[in-house]
Amino acid sequence: MEAFVRGLPKAELHVHLEGTLEPEMMFEMARRNRVPLRFGSVEEVQAAYEFSDLQSFLDIYYDGAEVLRTEQDFFDLTYAYLEKVVRDGVRRAEVFFDPQTHTERGIPFEAVVSGISRALAAGRTKLDISSGLIMCFLRHMSAESAHETLEQALPYRELLLGVGLDSSEVGNPPEKFDAVFAQARRAGMLVVAHAGEEGPPEYIWGALDTLHARRVDHGVRSEEDADLLIRLVEERVPLTMCPLSNVKLRVFPTLNDHNLKRLLDRGLVVTVNSDDPAYFGGYVGENYLAVARALKLSRDDLALLARNSFEAAFLRVEERRVFLAELDEYVAAH
Ligand code: ADE
Ligand code: ZN
């Protein structure tokens, strides 16, 4: 089963680049940028990765991101992620970054977006991974700050696939960012949003109706709202789920309690993703394997999850067709 899952062609649609910062790389960047760390060793860092909820994670995650300073750092971070997931069968990666985490500290927007984009381009040519970049607004910050960030991004419009919304969910509903998402849509950007991770189903309605999100990131709390489930099925709105993340942040007590299989069986376009793999104990391949074991997924379930990942990806018709054909061929041969 492990070999089948690792080789299964798939798209990853929910990964925060800052969440791929492995402790070893954190130490290396702290050293070369002369940034003090409050940890003495990789083991001390790993011991600190015990979270009680989303906020307890975010506090440590924003701390860790402080070692990222130069364009080269953003290149190295992104390329290291691509090198890892090429071994997990990832053929397409739509990756998130949080510019405000960096521009707040005086890092130029240009350094962030150029470093990441150069790595994605190298990933296309050297690793044959198709990719797209999604800029997320931090929802704990103001709508004005999101506007300023969009203004900074517009000169790099052609490097960006779309915009998203992340960080502390509860108390920061989608409606807070109504205007900035409208402006992003007018600029031709595709919209995704974290919703229903810790926040209520109303936030998922808001992501769809107010922000016009094409995909919902997490969306696990959709299960509490029967009308919402009907809508998600009828409109085939994908949910980008992250099972290991949800257990680490105590959204579900254990993986056996996760609703991924129930929602898949109800006809939702569920996908499997990693969120912040350096913090949550696994990349996308480990997420597939962990849910497969805990929820007793069949081969057909796994193939459907991979199919959903390509159907939910922001791909041109021809590229989608090629990936789906590759997937069908793989499943037929194994
Ligand atoms: N930023 C990074 N990971 C996140 C998550 N799981 N939820 C919200 N914001 C995030
Ligand atoms: Zn996320």
Side-chain angles (χ1 to χ4, degrees):
M1 202 258 290
E2 168 148 10
F4 176 74
V5 166
R6 297 261 183 217
L8 193 63
K10 54 180 79 67
E12 166 138 79
L13 306 177
H14 183 162
V15 58
H16 303 262
L17 286 173
E18 293 88 348
T20 69
L21 180 62
E22 291 288 347
E24 291 78 8
M25 187 175 272
M26 193 187 295
F27 274 95
E28 166 58 17
M29 288 181 182
R31 189 195 57 74
R32 76 191 189 197
N33 294 328
R34 299 191 169 78
V35 179
L37 277 185
R38 58 191 177 92
F39 302 108
S41 66
V42 167
E43 293 69 34
E44 260 181 57
V45 177
Q46 282 159 343
Y49 290 177
E50 278 298 327
F51 312 113
S52 51
D53 56 12
L54 175 58
Q55 193 59 50
S56 67
F57 154 69
L58 290 171
D59 294 340
I60 286 189
Y61 161 83
Y62 295 131
D63 243 34
E66 293 206 13
V67 303
L68 296 162
R69 297 281 159 114
T70 66
E71 179 181 332
Q72 189 64 41
D73 296 340
F74 289 95
F75 177 93
D76 291 347
L77 178 73
T78 306
Y79 199 74
Y81 161 75
L82 294 170
E83 281 187 312
K84 286 206 177 71
V85 297
V86 76
R87 289 179 242 134
D88 275 346
V90 170
R91 306 287 294 111
R92 167 81 176 174
E94 297 182 6
V95 300
F96 298 146
F97 75 120
D98 292 334
Q100 288 155 297
T101 300
H102 315 298
T103 52
E104 272 260 282
R105 302 180 286 123
I107 314 296
F109 187 95
E110 151 89 28
V112 180
V113 81
S114 298
I116 295 171
S117 298
R118 260 200 312 119
L120 295 179
R124 274 175 221 125
T125 54
K126 294 190 183 159
L127 305 172
D128 195 24
I129 297 185
S130 165
S131 56
L133 182 56
I134 297 175
M135 176 176 85
C136 290
F137 301 114
L138 296 178
R139 68 202 303 159
H140 69 272
M141 295 185 73
S142 67
E144 295 75 64
S145 173
H147 269 291
E148 286 162 20
T149 303
L150 182 59
E151 289 298 331
Q152 285 179 295
L154 288 177
Y156 305 94
R157 168 69 192 88
E158 73 283 2
L159 297 176
L160 301 173
L161 194 57
V163 290
L165 185 64
D166 63 2
S167 192
S168 321
E169 187 182 7
V170 174
N172 295 297
E175 290 73 17
K176 176 175 168 185
F177 299 96
D178 184 2
V180 70
F181 275 81
Q183 191 185 343
R185 290 197 310 276
R186 284 195 295 275
M189 291 183 170
L190 301 170
V191 171
V192 299
H194 283 55
E197 178 186 18
E198 282 189 349
E202 288 71 31
Y203 285 25
I204 302 175
W205 287 104
L208 299 177
D209 292 331
T210 306
L211 305 184
H212 300 274
R214 310 273 197 102
R215 300 196 293 249
V216 173
D217 297 315
H218 294 295
V220 293
R221 290 195 58 192
S222 59
E223 198 176 27
E224 298 165 27
D225 184 332
D227 290 336
L228 178 58
L229 287 180
I230 291 169
R231 165 125 184 233
L232 295 171
V233 170
E234 282 186 350
E235 296 184 7
R236 289 190 60 74
V237 179
L239 302 186
T240 64
M241 290 190 158
C242 308
L244 291 176
S245 164
N246 293 151
V247 173
K248 273 285 195 180
L249 303 188
R250 306 199 191 170
V251 173
F252 294 99
T254 75
L255 264 189
N256 301 303
D257 305 300
H258 203 286
N259 62 12
L260 179 142
K261 167 80 171 146
R262 285 200 297 278
L263 295 183
L264 188 68
D265 289 346
R266 287 181 78 146
L268 276 87
V269 184
V270 171
T271 67
V272 173
N273 308 271
S274 69
D275 210 8
D276 302 283
Y279 291 87
F280 300 148
Y283 287 75
V284 64
E286 278 82 40
N287 275 271
Y288 270 80
L289 284 169
V291 275
R293 293 188 182 118
L295 305 179
K296 304 195 168 39
L297 301 185
S298 65
R299 245 176 64 94
D300 285 353
D301 291 331
L302 293 164
L304 176 59
L305 288 166
R307 167 165 285 273
N308 286 348
S309 75
F310 290 122
E311 292 194 340
F314 295 138
L315 287 164
R316 291 181 198 287
V317 173
E318 178 54 20
E319 203 180 3
R320 192 188 320 279
R321 197 191 59 72
V322 169
F323 286 140
L324 288 172
E326 199 180 308
L327 171 63
D328 288 342
E329 197 177 310
Y330 179 88
V331 172
H334 296 79

Short mmCIF file of all heavy atoms in Angstrom, two decimals, residues 14 16 18-19 54 57-58 61-62 96 98 138-139 165-169 194 197 218 242 245-246 249 275-276 280, ligand 1:
data_model
loop_
_atom_site.label_atom_id
_atom_site.label_comp_id
_atom_site.label_asym_id
_atom_site.label_seq_id
_atom_site.Cartn_x
_atom_site.Cartn_y
_atom_site.Cartn_z
N HIS A 14 -2.78 22.45 -0.55
CA HIS A 14 -2.85 23.18 0.72
C HIS A 14 -1.56 22.92 1.49
O HIS A 14 -1.46 21.98 2.28
CB HIS A 14 -4.08 22.71 1.51
CG HIS A 14 -4.32 23.44 2.79
ND1 HIS A 14 -5.54 23.43 3.44
CD2 HIS A 14 -3.50 24.20 3.57
CE1 HIS A 14 -5.45 24.14 4.56
NE2 HIS A 14 -4.22 24.61 4.66
N HIS A 16 1.56 25.50 3.31
CA HIS A 16 2.13 26.84 3.57
C HIS A 16 3.64 26.69 3.49
O HIS A 16 4.22 25.91 4.26
CB HIS A 16 1.72 27.33 4.96
CG HIS A 16 0.24 27.38 5.17
ND1 HIS A 16 -0.49 28.54 5.03
CD2 HIS A 16 -0.67 26.39 5.47
CE1 HIS A 16 -1.78 28.28 5.27
NE2 HIS A 16 -1.92 26.99 5.53
N GLU A 18 5.97 28.50 4.55
CA GLU A 18 6.60 28.77 5.86
C GLU A 18 6.46 27.56 6.78
O GLU A 18 7.23 27.42 7.73
CB GLU A 18 5.98 30.01 6.53
CG GLU A 18 6.26 31.33 5.82
CD GLU A 18 5.24 31.67 4.72
OE1 GLU A 18 4.44 30.78 4.33
OE2 GLU A 18 5.25 32.82 4.24
N GLY A 19 5.48 26.73 6.50
CA GLY A 19 5.24 25.53 7.30
C GLY A 19 6.06 24.34 6.84
O GLY A 19 5.92 23.24 7.38
N LEU A 54 -5.08 25.95 17.23
CA LEU A 54 -4.45 26.66 16.11
C LEU A 54 -3.53 27.78 16.59
O LEU A 54 -2.40 27.92 16.13
CB LEU A 54 -5.56 27.22 15.18
CG LEU A 54 -5.11 28.10 14.02
CD1 LEU A 54 -4.14 27.39 13.09
CD2 LEU A 54 -6.33 28.59 13.22
N PHE A 57 -0.10 26.89 17.87
CA PHE A 57 0.80 26.57 16.75
C PHE A 57 1.28 27.85 16.06
O PHE A 57 2.48 28.02 15.81
CB PHE A 57 0.09 25.66 15.73
CG PHE A 57 0.64 25.76 14.35
CD1 PHE A 57 1.92 25.27 14.05
CD2 PHE A 57 -0.08 26.39 13.33
CE1 PHE A 57 2.45 25.40 12.77
CE2 PHE A 57 0.44 26.52 12.06
CZ PHE A 57 1.71 26.03 11.77
N LEU A 58 0.35 28.75 15.76
CA LEU A 58 0.70 29.95 14.99
C LEU A 58 1.79 30.76 15.71
O LEU A 58 2.69 31.30 15.07
CB LEU A 58 -0.54 30.81 14.73
CG LEU A 58 -1.57 30.22 13.75
CD1 LEU A 58 -2.86 31.05 13.75
CD2 LEU A 58 -1.02 30.11 12.32
N TYR A 61 4.99 29.13 14.92
CA TYR A 61 5.22 29.15 13.47
C TYR A 61 5.71 30.54 13.00
O TYR A 61 6.65 30.66 12.23
CB TYR A 61 3.90 28.72 12.84
CG TYR A 61 3.58 28.99 11.42
CD1 TYR A 61 4.04 28.14 10.41
CD2 TYR A 61 2.73 30.04 11.06
CE1 TYR A 61 3.67 28.34 9.09
CE2 TYR A 61 2.35 30.25 9.76
CZ TYR A 61 2.83 29.41 8.77
OH TYR A 61 2.44 29.60 7.47
N TYR A 62 5.10 31.60 13.53
CA TYR A 62 5.55 32.95 13.14
C TYR A 62 6.94 33.24 13.71
O TYR A 62 7.75 33.90 13.07
CB TYR A 62 4.54 34.03 13.58
CG TYR A 62 3.20 33.90 12.87
CD1 TYR A 62 2.00 33.91 13.57
CD2 TYR A 62 3.14 33.74 11.49
CE1 TYR A 62 0.78 33.77 12.93
CE2 TYR A 62 1.93 33.60 10.83
CZ TYR A 62 0.74 33.62 11.56
OH TYR A 62 -0.45 33.48 10.91
N PHE A 96 1.04 28.03 -0.75
CA PHE A 96 0.70 29.30 -0.09
C PHE A 96 1.95 29.97 0.45
O PHE A 96 2.88 29.30 0.89
CB PHE A 96 -0.20 29.05 1.13
CG PHE A 96 -1.53 28.42 0.85
CD1 PHE A 96 -2.08 27.54 1.79
CD2 PHE A 96 -2.26 28.69 -0.29
CE1 PHE A 96 -3.33 26.96 1.58
CE2 PHE A 96 -3.50 28.12 -0.51
CZ PHE A 96 -4.04 27.25 0.43
N ASP A 98 2.78 33.69 3.02
CA ASP A 98 2.19 34.76 3.84
C ASP A 98 3.10 35.99 3.78
O ASP A 98 3.96 36.16 4.65
CB ASP A 98 2.11 34.33 5.31
CG ASP A 98 1.13 33.20 5.60
OD1 ASP A 98 0.16 33.03 4.85
OD2 ASP A 98 1.34 32.51 6.62
N LEU A 138 -3.15 37.49 6.08
CA LEU A 138 -3.26 37.05 7.47
C LEU A 138 -4.52 37.67 8.07
O LEU A 138 -4.63 38.90 8.19
CB LEU A 138 -2.02 37.50 8.27
CG LEU A 138 -0.68 36.89 7.84
CD1 LEU A 138 0.46 37.47 8.69
CD2 LEU A 138 -0.70 35.37 7.95
N ARG A 139 -5.45 36.83 8.47
CA ARG A 139 -6.77 37.35 8.88
C ARG A 139 -6.74 37.99 10.27
O ARG A 139 -7.70 38.68 10.63
CB ARG A 139 -7.83 36.25 8.77
CG ARG A 139 -7.67 35.13 9.75
CD ARG A 139 -8.35 33.85 9.30
NE ARG A 139 -9.77 33.99 9.03
CZ ARG A 139 -10.47 33.14 8.26
NH1 ARG A 139 -9.87 32.10 7.70
NH2 ARG A 139 -11.76 33.32 8.09
N LEU A 165 -6.71 33.09 2.41
CA LEU A 165 -6.91 33.72 3.71
C LEU A 165 -6.55 32.70 4.79
O LEU A 165 -7.10 31.60 4.79
CB LEU A 165 -8.38 34.14 3.83
CG LEU A 165 -8.82 34.92 5.07
CD1 LEU A 165 -8.13 36.28 5.12
CD2 LEU A 165 -10.34 35.11 5.07
N ASP A 166 -5.61 33.07 5.66
CA ASP A 166 -5.21 32.12 6.70
C ASP A 166 -4.95 32.83 8.03
O ASP A 166 -5.31 33.99 8.19
CB ASP A 166 -4.00 31.28 6.23
CG ASP A 166 -2.75 32.11 5.97
OD1 ASP A 166 -2.77 33.33 6.20
OD2 ASP A 166 -1.74 31.54 5.53
N SER A 167 -4.35 32.11 8.96
CA SER A 167 -4.08 32.56 10.33
C SER A 167 -5.32 32.40 11.24
O SER A 167 -6.22 31.63 10.90
CB SER A 167 -3.52 33.98 10.35
OG SER A 167 -3.01 34.28 11.64
N SER A 168 -5.34 33.14 12.35
CA SER A 168 -6.33 32.91 13.43
C SER A 168 -7.76 33.08 12.93
O SER A 168 -8.19 34.20 12.64
CB SER A 168 -6.06 33.91 14.56
OG SER A 168 -4.67 34.09 14.75
N GLU A 169 -8.50 31.98 12.89
CA GLU A 169 -9.81 32.02 12.21
C GLU A 169 -10.92 32.63 13.07
O GLU A 169 -11.61 33.56 12.61
CB GLU A 169 -10.21 30.60 11.77
CG GLU A 169 -11.48 30.60 10.92
CD GLU A 169 -11.96 29.22 10.50
OE1 GLU A 169 -11.38 28.20 10.96
OE2 GLU A 169 -12.92 29.16 9.72
N HIS A 194 -9.17 29.65 3.96
CA HIS A 194 -9.34 28.75 5.09
C HIS A 194 -10.70 29.06 5.72
O HIS A 194 -11.01 30.24 5.98
CB HIS A 194 -8.26 28.99 6.16
CG HIS A 194 -6.91 28.43 5.82
ND1 HIS A 194 -6.24 28.73 4.67
CD2 HIS A 194 -6.12 27.57 6.52
CE1 HIS A 194 -5.08 28.08 4.67
NE2 HIS A 194 -4.98 27.38 5.77
N GLU A 197 -12.10 25.41 9.87
CA GLU A 197 -11.03 24.61 10.51
C GLU A 197 -11.35 24.61 12.02
O GLU A 197 -11.61 23.57 12.60
CB GLU A 197 -9.65 25.23 10.24
CG GLU A 197 -8.50 24.48 10.91
CD GLU A 197 -7.14 25.19 10.75
OE1 GLU A 197 -7.12 26.41 10.42
OE2 GLU A 197 -6.10 24.53 10.97
N HIS A 218 -9.47 23.28 4.52
CA HIS A 218 -9.97 22.52 5.68
C HIS A 218 -11.48 22.23 5.49
O HIS A 218 -11.83 21.21 4.96
CB HIS A 218 -9.71 23.20 7.03
CG HIS A 218 -8.26 23.30 7.37
ND1 HIS A 218 -7.47 22.21 7.60
CD2 HIS A 218 -7.45 24.40 7.50
CE1 HIS A 218 -6.23 22.61 7.87
NE2 HIS A 218 -6.19 23.92 7.81
N CYS A 242 -6.43 18.40 5.66
CA CYS A 242 -5.07 18.17 6.14
C CYS A 242 -5.15 17.35 7.42
O CYS A 242 -5.17 17.90 8.53
CB CYS A 242 -4.39 19.51 6.42
SG CYS A 242 -4.49 20.67 5.03
N SER A 245 -2.52 17.65 10.39
CA SER A 245 -2.67 18.98 10.99
C SER A 245 -3.85 18.98 11.96
O SER A 245 -3.74 19.47 13.09
CB SER A 245 -2.90 20.01 9.88
OG SER A 245 -3.42 21.22 10.40
N ASN A 246 -4.98 18.45 11.52
CA ASN A 246 -6.19 18.50 12.35
C ASN A 246 -6.02 17.76 13.67
O ASN A 246 -6.62 18.14 14.67
CB ASN A 246 -7.39 17.91 11.59
CG ASN A 246 -7.82 18.73 10.39
OD1 ASN A 246 -8.35 18.19 9.42
ND2 ASN A 246 -7.61 20.05 10.43
N LEU A 249 -3.52 19.89 15.90
CA LEU A 249 -4.16 21.10 16.44
C LEU A 249 -5.47 20.77 17.17
O LEU A 249 -6.24 21.66 17.50
CB LEU A 249 -4.38 22.12 15.33
CG LEU A 249 -3.12 22.54 14.56
CD1 LEU A 249 -3.40 23.69 13.61
CD2 LEU A 249 -1.99 22.93 15.51
N ASP A 275 -0.63 20.95 4.84
CA ASP A 275 -0.73 22.17 5.64
C ASP A 275 0.66 22.72 6.01
O ASP A 275 1.19 23.56 5.29
CB ASP A 275 -1.59 21.94 6.88
CG ASP A 275 -2.32 23.19 7.36
OD1 ASP A 275 -2.29 24.21 6.65
OD2 ASP A 275 -2.95 23.12 8.44
N ASP A 276 1.23 22.24 7.12
CA ASP A 276 2.54 22.71 7.60
C ASP A 276 3.38 21.48 7.97
O ASP A 276 3.56 21.18 9.16
CB ASP A 276 2.34 23.62 8.83
CG ASP A 276 1.45 24.81 8.49
OD1 ASP A 276 1.94 25.74 7.85
OD2 ASP A 276 0.26 24.77 8.85
N PHE A 280 3.82 19.32 11.59
CA PHE A 280 2.74 18.38 11.90
C PHE A 280 3.11 16.92 11.66
O PHE A 280 2.26 16.03 11.75
CB PHE A 280 1.48 18.74 11.11
CG PHE A 280 0.95 20.13 11.40
CD1 PHE A 280 0.30 20.87 10.42
CD2 PHE A 280 1.08 20.69 12.67
CE1 PHE A 280 -0.20 22.15 10.69
CE2 PHE A 280 0.58 21.97 12.95
CZ PHE A 280 -0.06 22.70 11.96
N1 ADE B 1 -1.25 29.16 8.63
C1 ADE B 1 -0.48 28.08 8.54
N2 ADE B 1 -1.17 26.98 8.83
C2 ADE B 1 -2.43 27.37 9.10
C3 ADE B 1 -3.61 26.71 9.45
N3 ADE B 1 -3.68 25.38 9.61
N4 ADE B 1 -4.72 27.44 9.67
C4 ADE B 1 -4.68 28.75 9.54
N5 ADE B 1 -3.60 29.43 9.21
C5 ADE B 1 -2.47 28.74 8.98
#
